Structure formats: C-alpha cells, structure tokens
Amino acid sequence: MTTIAPRAAVRRDIEDCVGQDDQVAATEALRADREVRLLIDAGRDDEANALFDQLLSKVPPGLDPWTRAAILTRRAVAAWRLRRIPLALELAAEGWSDIDAEQPRGSFAADTLGRLGYLLEGIGHRRASLDISRISVEVARTGDDVEILAHSLQGLGGTLNFRACEQPPEEAEATFREAIALFEEGLGLVDSGRIHLALLSAYAASLAGIGALDRAEVTAHKALALALADGDRWVASVGNWVLATIRRKQGRLADAAAYARIAVDEAERINDTSMLQRYSQDLADICGANGDPVGEADALRRNINSRRTAMETLQEGLGQALEQRRLAIRAQRLATAAQEAAARDPLTGLANRLGLERTAPELLERAISAARVPWLVLIDVDWFKGVNDAAGHAAGDAALREIAQLLRAECRAGDLIARWAGDEFVVLLSESPMDHSTGLTSPVGVAVAERIRVAVDRHDWTAVLGTTQRPTVSIGVATGPDPLEKLFANADVALYRAKRRGRNRVEVHQPVDDGYAIRPPR
C-alpha cells in the first residue's frame, strides 16, 4: 500500500493552491461536507439538511478553480441525495462552469469529475456518465490522494455493475470482471473508512455477477458487519442486495426476498433512486418467481414510485435547463442591445463614432478582397453654430435629424452612415468596382457626395427652421485601399479645401493634396 496519507495529500493539494487562511477554510469546508454525506448515508436526512443549509453560503474565497469545483460538486451530490434537485443542478452547473476551460489535473479534478459522473447518471445522461467516470480514474492516477483515487475507482466500478445488470449474460461477465479489477485496485489502496466499505460491498456484487457466490457471500457479510458498526445504510443496502442475488441464484427464493426487502428499505431511507429502481425490480421478480403476488405487487408499486421520482427529477432538470437557457438568451439579447445602443447615435439613429470604428475595418477588408475600392465621404454642416444660435438647440437637433434622413435617402442599403461628432457625418461606400484595365475606380463616391450636397441645399427647411438661414454642407471625399484612419485623414484634407473655397461644395482628395494644420471656420 502507498505510504501517502490520504488526508495529508488533500491538505498538500490545498496548500499548493491557496494561502494559509484559505487552507484552513477549505479544509473545514471539506470536513463539513463529509459530515453531511455521512448523515445522508445513515438515513438522518433532517440533520443532514440542517447542516447542509449552514454550509451553502460558505464557499471559501481565494480557491483555485478545481478546489472550488470539488466543493461545489460535493454539495451538488449531497443536494441531489436530499432530493433538492434544482439546487443540485445549480451547484453542479456552477462547479462545472468553473473548470470548463481548465485541463483536468490532480486529485481535486478527479474528485470533481467523479461526482459529476454520479450526477449525470442520476439525470439519465448515462453514456456521458460512464465516459466522465473513466476520465476521473485516469486523472486520479496522476494525483497523490489515494482516497480520491479509490473513490473514483469505486464510482466507475459501481457504474459498470449497474450496466452489467442490464446486459445479456454473455456481455455482462466481461463488464463485471472489468469492475472487479477496479474494486481490487481500490481495496489495495484503502483498508478502512467509508470508501473501503463502498468498495467492499460493490466488489461483492461483482463477484456474485460472475458466479463466484461463496466469495461474494463472505465479502458481503464482511461489508454488512462493518456497515452495522458505522451506521452506513448505503453499504447495508448494497450488501443485502448481493445476498438476495446469491440466494436467488441458489434457488432459495424466500431468503432472497427477505434480503431484497431490506435492500429496498435501506435504498428508500437514503434516497438513492437508482438503487431503489434496480433493487425493487429484482424484489418483484423474486416474489413473482416465489408465488408471492402480494409481495410482487408491493415491490412493483415501489418500483413505479421510484421511476416516477426519477422522471420528475428529469423533468425538473429539463425545466431548469430550459429556464436557464431562456435567461441566457435574454441576457445575450440585452448585451447585444447594449452593444448596439453604445454604437448608435441616439439623436439621429445613425451609427456613432464607435459604431463606425467597429464596423468599418470588416467592410474595408471585405471590399478589398472582392476587388472593390472603398470611398469615404466626410460631410460637415456649414455655419451650424449660427443655425443653433438663431433657431435654438431644439431646432438645431431637428435639422441634424433631417440631414440624417437625407443621407439615408441618397445612400444605398449597404453603405455605412455615421454621425461622427456634432454636425459632422461620415458615409463609407464599399461597393465600388475597379476597372482593371485602367486601375481606376468608378467615381461613385463623388456622385453620392454631390447628390447629398444638392439634397441638403434644395431641401425645404421652413418647417424645421422657419426663416432662419438654411443649412448647406461641405463635403470631402477620399478613396483607395486604405485603412479607415487614412481614408478619414484624406477626406478631411479635401473637406478643408471645400470650406476654404466657399463651402456648399464637394472636393476630392488627390494623392498630392496639401492639408491645413488648422481647420477654417465652419
């Protein structure tokens, strides 16, 4: 047997992951969780619930993801066995999400995976349960806590035992033998305690499964004697089921029924639905073969009740999963709406500067990859301060909204229109084809700019501004396979020239264009 002390190994795992104060808190949390499990195994549900409620708000801070996940999934299993299903699923989901992006390593990772496997089995996700239980054993072998390795071996072996009970005899023996190897390895690691008892009773079940009845009976009686001393009803249930299986194979059906009733009673006391379904079905079969219709009917009633409980559990889990999905979709939509609102100008409904900067790079890249050269049209309202001063800020805002409408009318659906700042607007056109024979692009940007200028100049502003001076726009245009920053800078140079040359005009940037350090008045 290995010389590593199991609890010392757990303490060392904790010490590797957290500070000294958190070590104490984590160790205390694990000890208290173990007390809850012992109370559940003893059928003392009221005490278990009371202690469990005290623990729920006490997840120590500062833990690494695997240690925290181990605590959460242990509590999820406890909640499951106390039939607090929504809480169990919530704790399991939280623990699983903590480690979702982590590479499993060490004993706490194995412990977490093993308990997730148990929960997946309980909700009927059986293939995933077996897969994750196998991974739990592989990960546990890389750790240094022999008790967690033994627990992982017991979890996988127990799952295999249940699978074997449902298989044809020619397949079941191989599955039982695989489980036997796991149990024997686990029993070589621990020789006392709760995990030792669980391994011993499950080992007896596997031995009975391959027909080694004498060895199975000796092992089952040993497990039952230890379980009686420890008050472990889980082991008592498994041990009596093993003895019922043995007596049934021996043809001693009355004795088999007596042992099976005890197994069913104990499974009910500890709220283990999976065991209760298996054992009550076996009891019904034994009673039927023994000519006991009353006993058979009672066993079938208990079996139906356990299956109804399992179905209700599954339905509750599906309902909670649906609710969580609904909340996730709602949160995603709210986040998307918030992102869209952050990128949209509330006054005009156009994209704002952030929206332009987010969207433009993709549009420019797509245009260039499709052999289309983009145009950037930079629009500035002439003398807008004078409009505001004369007609008031409300009228000025209305004028900006009107200009935004004119921009929409003169641009195509695929063009990106944004309010850059104040009275300045940007239109990014990314659908202009290149003439490969000349290397030139169609002057679509200039045409759109001129349409915008004319639309603003000829618009009837009376309803918005009354007799105040009607606004006009100056426009600078730039083109080329350039990033947004360069296109904007080039269009800005052209816009300066339009202002300098009298406003209410369109100017196109030329490669040798001269800029101005200071913009002229607008």
Side-chain angles (χ1 to χ4, degrees):
M1 184 181 297
T2 180
T3 58
I4 297 175
R7 294 304 97 197
V10 169
R11 285 195 299 274
R12 185 165 66 253
D13 276 358
I14 295 171
E15 290 166 4
D16 288 344
C17 299
V18 300
Q20 187 168 359
D21 290 341
D22 293 328
Q23 292 173 27
V24 175
T27 303
E28 175 61 24
L30 293 170
R31 183 197 62 76
D33 289 338
R34 183 173 182 274
E35 288 183 16
V36 172
R37 292 198 306 276
L38 291 174
L39 289 170
I40 295 171
D41 286 343
R44 296 158 62 182
D45 286 1
D46 290 343
E47 296 171 72
N49 269 305
L51 179 57
F52 186 65
D53 286 335
Q54 295 176 27
L55 299 178
L56 282 177
S57 61
K58 298 178 181 177
V59 178
L63 302 178
D64 77 296
W66 284 108
T67 306
R68 186 173 187 276
I71 292 173
L72 289 170
T73 50
R74 288 181 185 207
R75 292 179 182 178
V77 170
W80 182 269
R81 293 188 59 191
L82 291 168
R83 295 190 179 176
R84 298 168 67 168
I85 306 305
L87 177 59
L89 296 174
E90 182 180 341
L91 289 167
E94 186 177 354
W96 203 337
S97 64
D98 277 353
I99 60 173
D100 206 26
E102 300 284 333
Q103 180 68 27
R105 54 182 176 79
S107 297
F108 277 130
D111 186 72
T112 299
L113 292 169
R115 294 176 198 279
L116 286 173
Y118 172 86
L119 291 167
L120 289 170
E121 181 78 11
I123 64 175
H125 201 353
R126 304 183 69 202
R127 180 167 184 174
S129 169
L130 188 57
D131 291 343
I132 204 168
S133 296
R134 291 190 188 280
I135 295 171
S136 171
V137 171
E138 293 173 8
V139 174
R141 294 190 198 282
T142 68
D144 55 7
D145 188 316
V146 295
E147 188 169 311
I148 287 179
L149 174 55
H151 184 270
S152 296
L153 292 165
Q154 186 272 326
L156 176 56
T159 302
L160 290 171
N161 270 355
F162 273 103
R163 295 292 192 279
C165 291
E166 300 166 356
Q167 292 174 334
E170 61 274 13
E171 297 178 15
E173 182 171 347
T175 306
F176 277 126
R177 290 191 180 279
E178 182 183 357
I180 285 172
L182 297 168
F183 294 136
E184 288 177 344
E185 181 183 354
L187 289 167
L189 296 172
V190 291
D191 57 9
S192 62
R194 177 179 172 274
I195 300 301
H196 174 77
L197 277 179
L199 284 162
L200 202 62
S201 58
Y203 181 47
S206 296
L207 291 172
I210 63 170
L213 302 187
D214 292 341
R215 288 175 61 198
E217 184 167 356
V218 170
T219 305
H221 278 300
K222 182 179 178 182
L224 285 170
L226 294 170
L228 181 62
D230 283 1
D232 192 325
R233 293 186 180 277
W234 189 90
V235 173
S237 182
V238 177
N240 278 284
W241 176 60
V242 173
L243 293 175
T245 302
I246 293 169
R247 294 295 178 261
R248 184 181 182 185
K249 290 187 175 184
Q250 293 171 339
R252 297 164 58 181
L253 297 181
D255 291 343
Y259 283 124
R261 285 192 184 92
I262 297 173
V264 171
D265 289 343
E266 298 290 10
E268 278 187 333
R269 287 190 180 98
I270 61 174
N271 291 328
D272 195 310
T273 307
S274 297
M275 290 168 59
L276 185 55
Q277 288 183 59
R278 176 76 264 162
Y279 298 171
S280 59
Q281 183 62 60
D282 287 349
L283 175 58
D285 293 343
I286 292 168
C287 290
N290 198 36
D292 178 9
V294 175
E296 182 181 14
D298 180 66
L300 287 173
R301 175 186 60 77
R302 296 167 85 173
N303 182 264
I304 290 170
N305 287 340
S306 66
R307 291 183 184 279
R308 182 183 296 116
T309 299
M311 181 60 68
E312 289 171 353
T313 297
L314 181 58
Q315 289 172 341
E316 193 164 3
L318 289 172
Q320 183 169 341
L322 180 61
E323 177 65 9
Q324 289 175 343
R325 180 59 180 159
R326 184 186 71 81
L327 292 174
I329 291 173
R330 183 183 178 190
Q332 184 179 26
R333 286 176 177 171
L334 288 173
T336 300
Q339 285 184 339
E340 290 177 351
R344 192 155 296 281
D345 173 46
L347 177 64
T348 63
L350 301 175
N352 60 15
R353 180 170 180 168
L354 176 62
L356 177 68
E357 291 174 341
R358 280 181 179 174
T359 309
E362 182 181 351
L363 289 177
L364 294 172
E365 183 179 350
R366 194 162 62 232
I368 293 170
S369 64
R372 297 179 181 274
V373 179
W375 290 78
L376 189 141
V377 178
L378 181 58
I379 304 144
D380 186 273
V381 182
D382 298 324
W383 306 117
F384 185 69
K385 184 178 183 302
V387 173
N388 260 341
D389 292 343
H393 289 283
D397 287 347
L400 292 175
R401 285 194 293 270
E402 201 81 1
I403 289 172
Q405 285 296 99
L406 294 172
L407 292 177
R408 290 188 182 97
E410 299 302 330
C411 296
R412 300 164 299 184
D415 298 335
L416 175 59
I417 312 170
R419 182 185 178 197
W420 182 255
D423 58 346
E424 209 165 41
F425 298 84
V426 173
V427 178
L428 183 62
L429 304 97
S430 57
E431 299 296 324
S432 305
M434 175 181 284
D435 185 344
H436 291 283
S437 64
T438 63
L440 301 175
T441 64
S442 167
V444 62
V446 180
V448 170
E450 182 60 24
R451 288 205 309 268
I452 291 170
R453 186 197 67 78
V454 171
V456 174
D457 187 43
R458 294 180 180 177
H459 187 64
D460 182 2
W461 293 97
T462 306
V464 176
L465 300 175
T467 59
T468 303
Q469 179 183 356
R470 58 193 301 123
T472 59
V473 291
S474 298
I475 302 177
V477 182
T479 187
D482 299 316
L484 176 66
E485 295 79 7
K486 186 172 182 181
L487 284 173
F488 186 92
N490 291 343
D492 206 24
V493 169
L495 175 62
Y496 293 165
R497 188 188 312 111
K499 292 285 186 181
R500 187 167 178 265
R501 291 181 177 178
R503 296 176 173 79
N504 193 19
R505 61 185 293 122
V506 175
E507 292 288 339
V508 181
H509 175 263
Q510 302 299 328
V512 293
D513 223 338
D514 293 324
Y516 296 88
I518 302 175
R519 291 190 180 195
R522 298 186 179 180

